[in-house]
Each structure stands twice: as C-alpha cells, then as structure tokens.
Amino acid sequence: MYKIRVILDTKEDVIRTILVENSLNLEELHFTIAKSFGFEGQEMASFYRTDDEWNQGEEIPLFNMAEAGEGIAMQTCILEETLPIENSKLIYVYDFLNMWTFYVDVIEISSQTRDDLPKTILNVGDLPKEAPDKEFKAENFGDQEDIDDEFGHFDDDFDFNEY
C-alpha cells in the first residue's frame, strides 16, 4: 500500500493524502488524484518524472501518442515500478488548458492491504476556482542591442522595392 501526498502548486495549502494499492497503474492514480481534488478526470493529463528538487523530466502521458506504440502511457506504468521507494516524486499536470500542476510524493510504502482503496485520508484546503497562473520564462540569450548590432545592417542595405 502506498501513502501519497499530492500538493497543488499554489500559494495556499491545498493538499490531499491518498492511500492506493501498489499494483495501481498511473492512469488509475490520475483518476484518483483528479477525484480527490473534485475533478471528473475527463481532461488530458500527464505525469512527469522528477528528481528530488522537482526538476521536470520524462513525460508519461495519459495516452500513448508515439507512432507504432513505441511510447509510454499511464496505463502501462505500474506504481511500484514507477515510484519504487519512499520519497519518489512525480509532477502531475491536469487539464492542459488550465495547467493545474501538482507535486506527487510517496511518503510511505507498506505491505499492509486494505479493501477500501483508493481512499483520501487527508484533505487540507479548497481548490481555487481558477488554476494558479503559470509563468514560463525562457533564458536570456543576450541583449536586444547585440542582435541589432549583429544583424541590423541587413535592413539598411536591402532595397525591398527591387523585388
């Protein structure tokens, strides 16, 4: 049995702790997490492998989008294989139009079995009405002045009316 803490990426504390069977696949975990936060689970979603500092890695999509079935999907990823030890982590993104982003952390693995799983055992905070804004920044690759100095002369030397 896995005890998993799921935290919404927002300023307010919105946390769910769920108990699930270790044989669960990630598609079933997706539905369990969505339901625990009040979603129906009908939107596209992905899990992302991550390291201890929550750096996003390989995507595990809801459906295999690769040609000839070569890619991975939630249905083929079993919990005990994907998150084999305590403190294993995933990032979960639900509904790509709104980008609800959650941090998924295995806080305990036990050999106990229960008949009432999956089950939400801790419910802290309420889901906001709208998904928190995500700010995506690209690295700065130099100043605009550098680009103008290097390529700006093309505008001056070219007569667009000739063509």
Side-chain angles (χ1 to χ4, degrees), residues 36-70:
S36 75
F37 281 92
F39 297 117
E40 292 182 27
Q42 301 301 314
E43 303 297 332
M44 287 298 295
S46 285
F47 285 100
Y48 295 89
R49 297 184 194 276
T50 183
D51 59 18
D52 287 337
E53 281 79 44
W54 298 102
N55 294 309
Q56 183 174 318
E58 177 188 23
E59 179 181 15
I60 304 170
L62 183 57
F63 301 107
N64 180 351
M65 304 288 191
E67 292 182 27
E70 296 169 358

Side-chain angles (χ1 to χ4, degrees), residues 57-159:
E58 177 188 23
E59 179 181 15
I60 304 170
L62 183 57
F63 301 107
N64 180 351
M65 304 288 191
E67 292 182 27
E70 296 169 358
I72 61 173
M74 289 183 197
Q75 193 173 40
T76 60
C77 293
I78 306 302
L79 193 61
E80 64 188 348
E81 296 168 2
T82 307
L83 299 169
I85 59 173
E86 290 181 4
N87 297 314
S88 295
K89 297 171 175 27
L90 292 171
I91 295 172
Y92 171 64
V93 177
Y94 178 78
D95 185 358
F96 292 125
L97 293 177
N98 291 304
M99 297 297 288
W100 293 97
T101 304
F102 301 87
Y103 300 105
V104 178
D105 189 5
V106 177
I107 56 176
E108 186 180 327
I109 300 173
S110 74
S111 58
Q112 264 185 302
T113 58
R114 291 177 57 161
D115 294 331
D116 60 345
L117 301 182
K119 181 176 184 162
T120 301
I121 62 168
L122 177 70
N123 187 336
V124 175
D126 294 321
L127 193 71
K129 292 183 192 230
E130 293 183 12
D133 288 333
K134 295 289 171 215
E135 186 174 316
F136 296 98
K137 294 182 181 180
E139 290 184 32
N140 188 1
F141 291 107
D143 294 335
Q144 182 65 33
E145 292 175 13
D146 294 341
I147 295 171
D148 290 341
D149 289 345
E150 189 173 343
F151 299 106
H153 67 280
F154 288 117
D155 291 343
D156 300 335
D157 298 339
F158 192 74
D159 186 1

